[in-house]
Amino acid sequence: MSAVETGVAVLEARGLVKRYGSVTALDGADFDLRPREILALIGDNGAGKSTLIKALSGAIAPDEGQILLNGNPMHFRAPLDARRHGIETVYQDLALAPALDIAENLFLGRELRRPGVLGIVFRMADRQRMLREARTHIANLKIRVGSVTQPVETLSGGQRQGVAVARAAAFASRVVIMDEPTAALGVKESGQVLDLIREVREHGVPVVLISHNMPQVFEIADRVHIMRLGRRVATITPKSHTMAEAVAYMTGATSFKTET
Amino acid sequence: MARLNRTGTEEASVLARARALSTLGPLLALILASVFFTTRTDRFLTSDNFSLIFQQIAVVGIIAIGQTLVILTAGIDLSCGAVMAFGTIVMTRLAVTHGLNPFEAIALGVAVCTGFGALNGLLVTGLRLPPFIVTLGTLNIAFALTHITSNEETIANLPVPLTFFGDTFRLSQTSITYGSVLALGLALVTWFVLTQTIGGRHIYATGNNPDAARLAGVRTRRVLIAVYTSAGLLYGIAALVLIGRTGVGDPQAGQSDNLDSITAVVVGGTSLFGGRGGVVGTLIGTLIVGIFRNGLQLMGVAAIY
C-alpha cells in the first residue's frame, strides 16, 4: 500500500483478524472506502462480511490489524465510539422504536435540549426544533412520509427503512454503513431505498452496503468488495466485470490477479 | 405530487388524532360509570361521597404512578404494596417505639422504600432476570421484614407530622385530604418528565424496543435503574399518605395494591408490553377503579366480590 492510496481512503482496514474460539471469522482482511462512492460488500455466508462490518462500526474489536479513518488509526470500543467519529450504521431490522414518531426516532439517543435552565437542569427536549430539523432531513433525502409526527409503526417497510437511512445520513459526517437494507423489502420499496442510498452519496458521504442481491449490487455500486474465507479476494467494478465473474470470485472458482 | 402530499398530511392528522384518542376510551368509561352509578344510587353524586373516593384512591393512585413508569419499560412491579407496607412500619416504629424525630422517621421510611426500588432495578439490569421474578422476590422480602419488625402489631399513637396527609381542607362543599393533592402533584411531575424531557423519551424507547434504544445510544440499564428507583420513592410517599389515611402503622396493609395498581394502569390504556400509554391514563384508570369499588358498595354489593 502506498502512502498516496492511504491518503485517498476515507475508511481503511489492514490485516484484520478476528477469531471466535477455533473459528477464524476474519483472516487478515483488508478494506478501503473512497470518498463519494458506494462500495458493495459481497461474499458467501460465513465469508466474514458481518464481522468486518462489526469491526468497522465498533461493535467488535479485532484481535489483530488496524482500522484507519482518514489515515488516523482508530480503536473503537463500542458503536458509540464509531458514531462519535462520524460513522453511522443502519441495522437490518432492529433500528427503530415503532411506537415513537419519526422525529423522535431520528433524534433518539441525541435529543436536542431546550436552551438555558429548562434544558440543562430539567433536561427538557426541544420538540419544535427537532420537528423542524427532522422535516429538513426527510426532505433532503426526498423521503415521502405524511408528517414527522407520525408513529413509525404506521409506515410501510420502505418508509421505515427510509427513516433509518435518514437518521444515519443526518448524523454521519464520514461514513454510512448499511447491513442488507433491502432484505425485507418488496421490489418497489427496494428501488426507493436504492435511490436513497444514491442520495446519501450525492450529499458527499460514502456508503458501505452489504447485500446478497447481485443485480442490485451491480445496479448501484461504484466498486464491489468481494470476500471469501475471511479475506478480501477482489475489488471489482460493475463496468469491468460481470455478475458471473463476481460469483466465481466469491465461491473460489477463479482467483483474482490484479488489484484495481 | 400535490395530491399525494395532501392525502399524506390528512392521513397523518387522523393518526395524530387517533393517538390523542388513546386516553379518550378510558375517559368515556369513567363518564359512563359515573352516570350509571348516579342513576342507581342517589348517594353517589354527593360531595361527601366524592371526598371519600378521593381519599380512597390517593394511596393506590400514587403507587399506580410508579407502576406506570415500570410498565412503560415493559416491566412489572409486584413488590409495590409490600414495600409500601414495610415503609409504613419503618416510619411508625421509628417514630413511636424508638422515639425518633418524626421527620427523620419519615425520611428513613422513604429511603428504605427507595432502596427497595433500586434493588429491583439492579437485579433486573444486573442479573437480567425477568421483572416478574425479581419483584416477586422483593415482595416476599418486604413482606417478611414487615412482619418481623412489627411483631404483627398495629402501631398507633402517631405524632402529628406522620398523619398530616390525612388532614383535610374544604374546597366549596367537598373536603379534600392533602394526600389527594399530593397524589395529583406527583402525577403532574411524572407527566412532565414523561412527555417533556429527554429522560421520558428514553423510558418509552427502552420499553418499546430496547435493542434499538441501546444501539441509538440510550443507556437503557441506567434508564431501568432510574425507573425502578423512582417507583420505590413513590411507594415510600404512598406509605406516608397511607399512614395519614388510616392513622396507624398497619402490617396487613397494601396486600392487594400490586394488583390494584396494575389494574389502574392497564384500564388507563398503558400497554403491558411497554412503550405506550402514560400517567394521564393511569389517573383516569385509578378513578375508574375507585368509582366502581365505591359505587358497587353503595349499591349494596358485598365487598368480598
Side-chain angles (χ1 to χ4, degrees):
Chain A
M1 285 260 168
S2 69
V4 180
E5 260 190 81
T6 313
V8 167
V10 178
L11 186 62
E12 191 180 346
R14 289 187 208 151
L16 293 185
V17 176
K18 181 70 189 176
R19 297 185 195 89
Y20 295 103
S22 61
V23 178
T24 305
L26 289 180
D27 186 14
D30 296 324
F31 174 90
D32 70 292
L33 176 71
R34 296 174 186 170
R36 291 174 172 272
E37 74 168 351
I38 296 172
L39 177 71
L41 195 55
I42 63 171
D44 211 348
N45 289 338
K49 303 185 298 280
S50 296
T51 314
L52 176 60
I53 287 306
K54 280 180 186 159
L56 295 174
S57 65
I60 60 163
D63 299 328
E64 285 169 40
Q66 235 188 345
I67 294 171
L68 304 160
L69 184 64
N70 288 337
N72 303 313
M74 292 285 144
H75 296 283
F76 300 136
R77 285 183 310 273
L80 227 54
D81 284 344
R83 269 178 36 175
R84 284 200 193 96
H85 286 94
I87 301 174
E88 289 283 332
T89 309
V90 178
Y91 300 93
Q92 201 181 112
D93 48 7
L94 30 73
L96 301 170
L100 269 53
D101 68 30
I102 294 173
E104 285 166 346
N105 266 291
L106 275 180
F107 286 95
L108 186 58
R110 41 197 155 194
E111 291 82 358
L112 304 173
R113 291 188 191 194
R114 287 273 196 93
V117 180
L118 291 178
I120 295 162
V121 180
F122 295 106
R123 297 184 77 222
M124 270 182 89
D126 196 339
R127 173 97 173 135
Q128 293 310 316
R129 210 175 114 214
M130 286 195 277
L131 288 180
R132 263 200 318 275
E133 291 192 13
R135 277 186 209 109
T136 316
H137 292 314
I138 294 288
N140 273 345
L141 293 177
K142 304 185 179 79
I143 299 166
R144 288 201 200 103
V145 290
S147 151
V148 292
T149 58
Q150 210 171 328
V152 162
E153 63 200 343
T154 63
L155 302 176
S156 71
Q159 286 173 318
R160 280 184 209 200
Q161 199 58 269
V163 172
V165 173
R167 174 165 73 183
F171 295 99
S173 51
R174 299 233 168 81
V175 179
V176 173
I177 298 171
M178 298 193 203
D179 188 359
E180 301 265 7
T182 60
L185 302 181
V187 175
K188 194 178 153 214
E189 297 193 315
S190 294
Q192 290 169 351
V193 170
L194 292 189
D195 287 342
L196 266 179
I197 296 171
R198 289 195 191 94
E199 203 67 47
V200 172
R201 176 183 58 187
E202 294 315 307
H203 283 82
V205 180
V207 178
V208 183
L209 173 72
I210 299 186
S211 183
H212 272 110
N213 186 327
M214 282 299 212
Q216 218 172 66
V217 165
F218 272 72
E219 182 192 335
I220 193 168
D222 298 305
R223 293 193 306 145
V224 182
H225 169 132
I226 305 171
M227 289 196 80
R228 179 174 148 71
L229 304 175
R231 290 182 192 198
R232 175 168 70 181
V233 291
T235 308
I236 61 169
T237 68
K239 288 190 188 90
S240 61
H241 293 73
T242 64
M243 273 186 229
E245 286 171 310
V247 173
Y249 293 134
M250 251 171 74
T251 54
T254 28
S255 54
F256 198 68
K257 307 267 161 33
T258 48
E259 282 274 327
T260 46
Chain B
M1 186 66 203
R3 208 178 133 249
L4 197 145
N5 265 342
R6 226 194 63 223
T7 51
T9 34
E10 261 169 29
E11 240 172 68
S13 70
V14 168
L15 284 162
R17 254 179 274 151
R19 215 182 188 191
L21 282 179
S22 66
T23 53
L24 214 67
L27 195 63
L28 205 67
L30 177 65
I31 293 166
L32 284 176
S34 305
V35 170
F36 173 75
F37 287 120
T38 309
T39 56
R40 298 311 290 268
T41 144
D42 42 348
R43 273 182 301 165
F44 179 76
L45 201 67
T46 58
S47 55
D48 280 351
N49 189 45
F50 266 83
S51 52
L52 181 68
I53 291 175
F54 289 138
Q55 280 178 42
Q56 285 169 338
I57 65 172
V59 172
V60 75
I62 295 173
I63 294 176
I65 295 169
Q67 191 72 257
T68 306
L69 294 175
V70 172
I71 290 180
L72 279 176
T73 66
I76 198 145
D77 194 343
L78 300 177
S79 71
C80 49
V83 168
M84 175 190 69
F86 185 49
T88 65
I89 298 302
V90 169
M91 289 177 197
T92 51
R93 250 279 177 260
L94 288 174
V96 176
T97 319
H98 299 279
L100 208 68
N101 175 323
F103 292 105
E104 286 173 27
I106 291 169
L108 278 169
V110 172
V112 165
C113 292
T114 312
F116 261 100
L119 179 67
N120 282 334
L122 288 169
L123 288 173
V124 167
T125 57
L127 300 181
R128 301 187 181 242
L129 288 170
F132 188 94
I133 307 292
V134 167
T135 57
L136 192 61
T138 48
L139 179 155
N140 283 307
I141 295 170
F143 186 77
L145 286 173
T146 302
H147 287 266
I148 292 166
T149 51
S150 68
N151 285 328
E152 315 282 336
E153 290 163 359
T154 301
I155 301 158
N157 302 320
L158 306 178
V160 174
L162 276 173
T163 56
F164 168 77
F165 284 110
D167 295 347
T168 58
F169 65 92
R170 293 198 79 79
L171 196 73
S172 68
Q173 295 295 306
T174 319
S175 57
I176 294 172
T177 62
Y178 293 108
S180 309
V181 178
L182 182 68
L184 207 61
L186 291 170
L188 203 68
V189 170
T190 311
W191 172 85
F192 174 82
V193 171
L194 283 178
T195 61
Q196 304 297 310
T197 73
I198 293 165
R201 287 299 86 197
H202 289 179
I203 291 173
Y204 281 92
T206 302
N208 192 222
N209 188 345
D211 291 327
R214 196 167 28 78
L215 287 171
V218 176
R219 279 173 283 202
T220 51
R221 304 176 104 203
R222 200 182 280 193
V223 169
L224 288 175
I225 291 172
V227 159
Y228 281 93
T229 309
S230 310
L233 172 67
L234 284 160
Y235 308 150
I237 298 171
L240 185 58
V241 174
L242 177 67
I243 293 171
R245 172 158 162 68
T246 57
V248 293
D250 176 8
Q252 305 296 332
Q255 291 188 6
S256 67
D257 279 349
N258 50 8
L259 294 183
D260 288 350
S261 65
I262 292 164
T263 308
V265 172
V266 173
V267 166
T270 296
S271 162
L272 280 173
F273 301 105
R276 293 155 215 269
V279 80
V280 176
T282 297
L283 223 51
I284 297 170
T286 309
L287 270 169
I288 291 176
V289 172
I291 277 175
F292 263 96
R293 187 154 293 169
N294 170 277
L296 289 173
Q297 269 169 19
L298 288 182
M299 282 171 64
V301 180
I304 194 150
Y305 300 115

